[in-house]
Amino acid sequence: MASEDVSGRLVTMRVTELKKVAKGLRLAKLEQAGITTVADVLANSHEQLMQIPGVGAQTVDEVKAAAALVAERSRVDARTRFDPVRRDPRQTRILAHLQAERAATEAVGELREAVHRFRERAMPYFAAADRAGSRLAMFFSRRKRRVETLARLDLLEAVNAEHETHALERDLATALDRARPERWNSDELWRDYERQAASVNTQFAKITGADAEDAERAEDFVGEDLRQAIETLPFDRSLLRTDLRFYQLFGAKYVIYQKRAIIGDEMGLGKTIQALAVAAHLAAKGQRRCLVICPASVVPNWLNEIRKHTKLEAFGLHGPGREEEARKWLRRGGVAVTTFNTIDRLESLPQRAKIALLVVDEAHYIKNPNAKRSMAVGAAIGRSKRALLLSGTPMENRVQEFKSLIGHLRPDLAEQVGQGDEVVGAEDFRRTVAPVYLRRNQEDVLTELPEKIEVEEWVQFNGSDEDEYREQVRRRNLMGMRRASSAMPGSAKLERLAELVDDAGAEGQKVIVFSYFLDVLKAVGERIGDVAIGPITGKVAAAKRQAMVDEFARREGPAVILAQIEAGGVGLNIQAASMVVLAEPQWKPSIEQQAVARAHRMGQTRRVQVHRLLAKDGVDDRIREVQEHKELLFEHYARRSDAKSTGAMATATAVATLDDDSIPLEQRIIAAERSRLGIDRR
């Protein structure tokens, strides 16, 4: 199916497209000779192309190489992406065969013990059954042998008549039926796909070879010797319930081999599963204590993931009963989960207790080496045989923060990392820190992930919006300015948000709405009514947050989950949503990225739409400029004030203020808005 799509694309792709991947190509002579498409270039050999007058060997080599590159990119782009909205019949057939294979594999595991027991009971009589089935053998057997054979045949029939044998026959018949692709109807297949898309996509990627190709491309920055050592490392899967993607297996082996490492994969690639794979491997080898340190809000998610993906026992060392749970964990082994604020208060965790693997989730929480929790985690790292830090926040451009994280694991390597906050080239940086830092991006390793469409939804202040905004600017209240620019009651933003929710419901989509402000979430909830779930806030207990997410996933029809961006934007998996609405821009783009990644992550089956609600001519403009690293130089304000010399002077002073890095950013933004609105000229 994909190869047909690629062929069709290359047949219609003009040969001039090759200039996009190899500048300076000379194509005129080829086009004159009738080589007008990329498919034409690929269809003709080097020798055939060189026979064209005016075309030399170098041109042919360059053109063929460019065509091969375009074809490879087209092949990757054309890989099958299962679409539960379109339900292409060809994709349905593929899902049927994948379902049949999974059913057969599951049956082998479930029935292996029962088959083994039947074999042990019946094996002594199989030879007699063979003899009884041969008239010639029975004719030439002595009477005593015939009697003995018939007696054993009776015993075999008795085994066949046993209740357990009949049960096995029924189970085998059921298994054989479930292993027939035609047994599954379209609705069953697509419902199943939406429930477990991550595992189905993993299965399909391994069958087609795409998984290995993606992993190889993503890890090409790891030195050949190190890569070979990691790839050939034995790995014990016996305590895992989940099949790993190749890049996840490489990540797990990387941690096992390096002993102290950071996995900085982009959000949504399964860092948790990789950490649990390491824990399962070590436990299978007799090293059974794994400790996870994470924010309190994601403790339930970790406990769920442990039970879902491994056969290891899970212990929550947080809240009442944590000391008893800690003692059980120390005695029995397994995976214990605690929080940054609890790790140094666990009385049942003695200093001498050895930990096979320490996992620190959301590791940017310990970027300040002088903070109390950083020191507590650092002490735990020192007591651990292996340590793994997880963080989905890209670190290439934040050298000092990365250096402090790497210092927890490899102080010697931290000294080799650059000084200051200078921007470091991503490729050189990754090669330099490869002994401790592994990062893969979604576009490299999850080629089947549905696309993400990001839209800026600019709205104009209405009358009440603008009056409130001006008042907050007059008060120099930056938080008030941001709140007044968000989806407050009666605002243009709130009306646009309600329209998006209505449209999503009509299309069968579920929605996540993120805001920094509680009163904005309250206003949204009141405006959209019964479809709202939440809000998830910092004060909502972790278990209740997960319950809200579960309810959101189960609910049939329209549903909207409301979340404070710093509470719901971290650690939760909300793949049931295919629309994300950000009610206002955040200072750090990484906060928005983490929020979007709650939906656009491994296991998502639908295209994800991201809508950023932005109020024109206000603080949202300024924050977007900060996000894009633009200078706060607003020359157009001066042009607006040319009519009045006093206004021009005031504006010029404001512009100079905006360019003064010694003045806090928040004050400069307030000054910019006061200047734009003419407040300081009155």
Side-chain angles (χ1 to χ4, degrees):
M1 180 168 63
S3 61
E4 294 173 5
D5 293 341
V6 172
S7 298
R9 186 181 302 184
L10 297 178
V11 165
T12 59
M13 188 180 294
R14 301 293 300 177
V15 72
T16 50
E17 290 292 307
L18 298 179
K19 290 184 177 181
K20 294 180 179 180
V21 298
K23 294 181 179 179
L25 286 179
R26 294 187 291 275
L27 302 173
K29 298 294 184 182
L30 290 172
E31 290 184 279
Q32 291 171 12
I35 307 298
T36 59
T37 70
V38 176
D40 292 336
V41 174
L42 295 169
N44 286 270
S45 67
H46 279 73
E47 291 73 19
Q48 289 172 316
L49 294 177
M50 286 181 62
Q51 290 175 8
I52 298 172
V55 177
Q58 182 177 346
T59 297
V60 171
D61 288 343
E62 291 174 349
V63 168
K64 292 290 280 186
L69 179 58
V70 168
E72 171 60 20
R73 290 181 178 177
S74 297
R75 190 174 66 82
V76 171
D77 291 342
R79 287 179 183 167
T80 298
R81 292 178 173 86
F82 295 105
D83 186 348
V85 177
R86 289 180 57 229
R87 296 193 176 189
D88 186 309
R90 295 176 298 176
Q91 293 186 358
T92 303
R93 289 196 296 272
I94 293 172
L95 288 176
H97 283 84
L98 294 175
Q99 179 68 278
E101 186 194 37
R102 286 202 307 282
T105 302
E106 290 171 4
V108 169
E110 292 169 357
L111 300 178
R112 179 181 286 110
E113 188 175 337
V115 170
H116 181 68
R117 288 197 303 271
F118 172 77
R119 181 183 175 86
E120 284 186 331
R121 297 196 312 276
M123 178 64 80
Y125 316 123
F126 283 166
D130 288 340
R131 282 196 303 273
S134 169
R135 291 184 178 181
L136 190 63
M138 290 295 285
F139 180 78
F140 286 105
S141 295
R142 295 179 180 178
R143 183 174 181 280
K144 182 179 180 182
R145 185 70 176 272
R146 287 199 300 271
V147 171
E148 181 182 313
T149 297
L150 294 172
R152 285 178 173 270
L153 189 60
D154 289 340
L155 291 173
L156 179 58
E157 289 178 350
V159 171
N160 288 334
E162 291 175 357
H163 174 74
E164 186 174 355
T165 304
H166 287 310
L168 178 58
E169 288 176 341
R170 288 193 300 271
D171 291 343
L172 285 170
T174 300
L176 288 170
D177 178 59
R178 291 175 63 83
R180 291 186 304 110
E182 61 273 16
R183 183 250 189 234
W184 303 94
N185 66 50
S186 177
D187 288 340
E188 288 177 318
L189 291 167
W190 286 105
R191 278 199 303 270
D192 182 73
Y193 176 69
E194 294 206 61
R195 283 195 301 268
Q196 48 180 342
S199 62
V200 175
N201 286 329
T202 295
Q203 178 190 12
F204 185 64
K206 289 193 171 184
I207 290 173
T208 60
D211 199 15
E213 292 175 11
D214 293 340
E216 184 175 356
R217 185 172 61 253
E219 282 129 25
D220 60 2
F221 63 90
V222 178
E224 184 59 34
D225 291 343
L226 175 58
R227 181 175 176 173
Q228 186 173 0
I230 291 171
E231 288 182 340
T232 57
L233 191 72
F235 182 80
D236 194 319
R237 308 167 186 262
S238 60
L239 296 179
L240 272 179
R241 300 184 190 275
T242 297
D243 200 11
L244 300 176
R245 298 291 288 258
F246 280 136
Y247 76 86
Q248 293 173 332
L249 177 60
F250 184 90
K253 287 185 174 183
Y254 176 91
V255 176
I256 295 166
Y257 184 84
Q258 301 290 59
K259 295 188 177 180
R260 278 165 155 61
I262 302 170
I263 290 185
D265 289 348
E266 189 174 3
M267 284 83 73
L269 294 186
K271 293 185 291 293
T272 299
I273 294 174
Q274 293 175 69
L276 293 176
V278 178
H281 168 85
L282 295 175
K285 300 299 181 184
Q287 302 174 54
R288 298 190 58 82
R289 287 182 190 159
C290 172
L291 178 63
V292 177
I293 304 174
C294 63
S297 61
V298 298
V299 169
N301 187 63
W302 267 98
L303 296 173
N304 288 343
E305 295 291 287
I306 294 164
R307 297 174 184 121
K308 177 180 177 182
H309 298 296
T310 79
K311 301 175 185 177
L312 304 176
E313 196 169 359
F315 301 89
L317 313 188
H318 177 59
R322 63 175 180 261
E323 297 297 342
E324 177 59 28
E325 287 292 288
R327 285 189 287 269
K328 288 182 187 176
W329 170 66
L330 288 171
R331 289 195 309 269
R332 287 148 45 176
V335 184
V337 185
T338 190
T339 70
F340 290 102
N341 295 329
T342 305
I343 181 63
D344 61 343
R345 295 189 283 122
L346 283 170
E347 298 174 1
S348 302
L349 189 62
Q351 294 293 318
R352 66 181 183 279
K354 290 295 182 182
I355 302 169
L357 173 67
L358 179 74
V359 179
V360 183
D361 193 14
E362 304 294 346
H364 52 273
Y365 277 59
I366 58 169
K367 65 187 179 184
N368 179 0
N370 298 318
K372 182 179 178 182
R373 64 184 172 195
S374 299
M375 290 186 282
V377 173
I381 290 173
R383 300 196 301 272
S384 305
K385 188 172 182 179
R386 287 178 172 82
L388 170 59
L389 308 187
L390 304 177
S391 177
T393 305
M395 300 181 189
E396 286 87 23
N397 297 332
R398 302 165 67 181
V399 178
Q400 281 303 306
E401 290 183 8
F402 177 77
K403 187 172 182 177
S404 66
L405 290 181
I406 211 173
H408 285 292
L409 305 177
R410 290 278 304 274
D412 59 321
L413 191 59
E415 294 302 316
Q416 301 176 30
V417 178
Q419 298 293 322
D421 286 325
E422 68 273 19
V423 175
V424 178
E427 185 173 344
D428 291 341
F429 180 75
R430 288 166 70 180
R431 292 186 188 280
T432 300
V433 300
V436 74
Y437 179 49
L438 182 66
R439 177 176 173 82
R440 283 74 57 91
N441 297 311
Q442 282 186 351
E443 63 267 23
D444 295 328
V445 295
L446 280 189
T447 54
E448 80 279 359
L449 193 67
E451 65 179 324
K452 176 178 63 177
I453 298 176
E454 303 195 38
V455 179
E456 291 188 351
E457 300 271 357
W458 289 95
V459 302
Q460 200 70 47
F461 281 122
N462 60 31
S464 59
D465 290 347
E466 190 162 11
D467 290 345
E468 177 61 21
Y469 182 73
R470 282 179 172 272
E471 178 61 25
Q472 297 304 323
V473 174
R474 189 174 290 109
R475 295 180 183 180
R476 302 179 185 273
N477 181 355
L478 184 59
M479 292 299 282
M481 291 160 59
R482 292 187 64 204
R483 183 182 284 104
S485 301
S486 194
M488 294 296 286
S491 68
K493 266 194 188 180
L494 184 58
E495 291 311 304
R496 179 55 186 150
L497 190 153
E499 291 173 1
L500 291 171
V501 168
D502 287 343
D503 291 344
E507 295 293 328
Q509 295 176 282
K510 293 182 178 181
V511 185
I512 316 173
V513 175
F514 287 108
S515 176
Y516 182 86
F517 302 103
L518 283 174
D519 46 1
V520 168
L521 295 175
K522 180 181 178 183
V524 173
E526 291 174 349
R527 177 65 178 80
I528 64 178
D530 293 341
V531 298
I533 296 172
I536 295 174
T537 71
K539 293 183 179 180
V540 174
K544 190 173 181 181
R545 295 185 196 189
Q546 188 61 50
M548 290 179 184
V549 173
D550 294 341
E551 179 190 350
F552 178 71
R554 287 193 305 267
R555 184 177 290 187
E556 297 290 335
V560 180
I561 193 164
L562 310 176
Q564 265 191 309
I565 196 162
E566 293 190 351
V570 177
L572 294 174
N573 301 332
I574 318 179
Q575 296 97 320
S578 55
M579 180 182 287
V580 179
V581 179
L582 302 170
E584 69 280 323
Q586 307 303 311
W587 292 112
K588 295 180 180 179
S590 60
I591 293 176
E592 295 183 9
Q593 291 162 9
Q594 290 212 39
V596 171
R598 298 311 99 207
H600 194 246
R601 62 192 300 108
M602 192 174 187
Q604 179 58 260
T605 63
R606 297 170 182 260
R607 180 178 63 191
V608 174
Q609 298 178 20
V610 180
H611 295 267
R612 288 181 166 83
L613 297 183
L614 301 163
K616 191 66 179 167
D617 296 329
V619 71
D620 286 2
D621 278 314
R622 308 292 80 78
I623 294 176
R624 290 296 281 161
E625 289 167 343
V626 171
Q627 289 179 340
E628 295 167 7
H629 304 291
K630 291 182 179 178
E631 296 179 359
L632 288 170
L633 299 175
F634 306 109
E635 293 88 350
H636 60 286
Y637 300 160
R639 287 196 297 272
R640 288 185 179 181
S641 303
D642 285 346
K644 296 182 180 179
S645 59
T646 54
M649 185 177 297
T651 301
T653 302
V655 170
T657 299
L658 298 177
D659 199 30
D660 187 349
D661 289 339
S662 67
I663 299 174
L665 178 63
E666 291 82 356
Q667 293 182 24
R668 285 185 277 158
I669 287 177
I670 292 172
E673 286 300 281
R674 290 177 68 86
S675 173
R676 183 180 67 82
L677 295 173
I679 291 175
D680 287 331
R681 295 197 297 272
R682 295 176 182 177

